[in-house]
């Protein structure tokens, strides 16, 4: 390792420790090697460039790992949703067969469970139409009636 590489390595080590101020690193550098400021400045510049490249590489790797883990998490959520939907559908089919095969012994709880499961499947598949909200204009104010906005007066685009 050449002296210049030694200098750069020392400065990078200091930067990694969190000593990012030139004067702090310079004092340690001069204490260790008794060199001129110009020698330090050359090494400081190269070390900062190398350190910056390393940090960008580390950041890129972190982003790639985050993206990969986020995609895996979303895929797991989709698989879980599909598994829940599949199991719910199977239970619904079993209840339907039970009701169909033995119409004399139909229990109200079986019918309620069947209806509840079908309602859940409809919600999961998005078969339910969104709830309508009524919109009314009065004196420049927009009044929206519905659960989410009940009792709130919202301003329109003109600032009224």
């Amino acid at each position: 390792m050449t002296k210049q590489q030694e200098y750069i390595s020392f400065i990078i080590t200091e930067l990694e420790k969190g000593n990012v101020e030139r004067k702090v690193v310079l004092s340690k550098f001069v204490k260790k090697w008794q060199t001129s400021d110009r020698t330090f400045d050359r090494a400081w510049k190269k070390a900062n460039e190398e350190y910056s490249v390393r940090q960008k590489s580390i950041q890129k790797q972190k982003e790639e790992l985050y993206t990969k883990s986020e995609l895996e998490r979303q895929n797991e959520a989709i698989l879980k949703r599909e598994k829940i939907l599949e199991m719910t559908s199977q239970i619904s089919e079993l209840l339907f067969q039970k009701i169909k095969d033995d119409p004399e012994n139909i229990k109200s709880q079986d019918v309620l469970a069947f209806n509840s499961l079908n309602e859940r499947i409809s919600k999961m598949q998005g078969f339910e139409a969104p709830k309508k909200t009524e919109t009314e204009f009065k004196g420049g104010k927009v009044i929206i009636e519905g659960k989410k906005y009940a009792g709130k007066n919202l301003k329109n685009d003109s600032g009224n």
Side-chain angles (χ1 to χ4, degrees), residues 139-142 154-160:
K141 290 187 178 179
V142 178
L154 304 176
K155 295 183 179 180
N156 61 15
D157 291 338
S158 65
N160 294 328

Side-chain angles (χ1 to χ4, degrees), residues 1 3 6-7 9-11 13-14 17 24-35 40:
M1 183 184 284
K3 276 285 188 198
E6 235 179 284
Y7 297 158
S9 177
F10 174 81
I11 293 170
T13 302
E14 290 299 315
K17 288 180 185 177
V24 173
V25 179
L26 174 62
S27 67
K28 290 181 180 184
F29 184 87
V30 171
K31 188 175 184 180
K32 185 170 182 174
W33 282 293
Q34 294 85 34
T35 61
F40 172 78

Side-chain angles (χ1 to χ4, degrees), residues 70-84:
E70 189 63 21
L71 286 172
E72 288 174 1
R73 187 189 66 76
Q74 288 179 359
N75 285 337
E76 286 176 11
I78 290 170
L79 291 175
K80 287 179 184 175
R81 181 186 178 281
E82 293 299 319
K83 188 68 175 173
I84 290 169

Side-chain angles (χ1 to χ4, degrees), residues 94-133:
L94 288 172
L95 283 170
F96 177 74
Q97 284 301 320
K98 182 178 179 182
I99 293 169
K100 181 181 158 195
D101 292 344
D102 195 8
E104 288 87 34
N105 294 327
I106 296 175
K107 296 179 183 175
S108 63
Q109 61 196 24
D110 290 340
V111 174
L112 287 172
F114 179 74
N115 289 338
S116 175
L117 285 170
N118 285 330
E119 187 177 318
R120 183 175 180 152
I121 291 170
S122 294
K123 285 180 182 177
M124 289 178 76
Q125 292 286 32
F127 295 148
E128 285 189 358
K131 304 212 179 337
K132 294 181 181 178
T133 55

